[in-house]
Amino acid sequence: MNKETPTMSASKTPPAALLTRHADAETCADPSSVMTLLADSDGTAGGITSYRSTFAEGATGAPAHFHTRATELFFVISGALQVLVGEEVTVLEEGDFLAVPPHTPHAFAAAPGCEADVLFVFTPGVGRFDYLRLLGRVMRGEADPKEIAESSERFDNHYVDSAVWRAALERSA
């Protein structure tokens, strides 16, 4: 048997590194948050999707939902984020990390009395930038909310009802 040094064929070439400079990153804004779009799955060979969101005090974030194909990672850069995971509500503080696996209902909002700056990562990546843009348009009254429901499969974002989350938001108000 002939021993050869393994070589990487053209089909096995690793994807190129992706660098998104802060000054070049696209931002999407709605009345209570700003999202900085960092990496979408098409630019990372499907590996990840990532964005950073800054939430104003009182920002409602995302209602209860789940993903079927991706794990969603949260890293709190500063402030505090109230989150639902399954049937449990907790607060993530600066430096806290959370990984929510597929099919797990979750939701998030700025913690009561706090702002939040959070890095989100989806793995494997799911094209979500168009979804984030759509959310901004809906929040600003520029698009019909039905478009969000109609896009659930495309963006792997499936909304569910959560009495636990509704109660947490009512207590926060």
Side-chain angles (χ1 to χ4, degrees), residues 34-127:
V34 175
M35 295 167 280
T36 304
L37 309 183
L38 301 171
D40 213 358
S41 61
D42 59 351
T44 65
I48 65 166
T49 296
S50 183
Y51 58 94
R52 179 178 179 175
S53 289
T54 55
F55 299 97
E57 185 176 329
T60 57
H65 64 285
F66 66 91
H67 312 289
T68 61
R69 301 184 300 267
T71 295
E72 186 172 0
L73 311 172
F74 299 71
F75 179 76
V76 179
I77 298 166
S78 66
L81 189 72
Q82 181 171 257
V83 296
L84 166 78
V85 179
E87 293 294 313
E88 184 178 335
V89 176
T90 191
V91 173
L92 304 178
E93 297 176 344
E94 183 175 328
D96 287 350
F97 172 82
L98 171 68
V100 179
H103 301 282
T104 303
H106 58 286
F108 52 88
C114 296
E115 297 177 344
D117 185 0
V118 182
L119 179 67
F120 293 89
V121 178
F122 290 79
T123 184
V126 178

Side-chain angles (χ1 to χ4, degrees), residues 82 89 112 163-173:
Q82 181 171 257
V89 176
V164 172
W165 186 243
R166 282 194 322 270
L169 292 177
E170 287 173 14
R171 284 190 303 273
S172 299

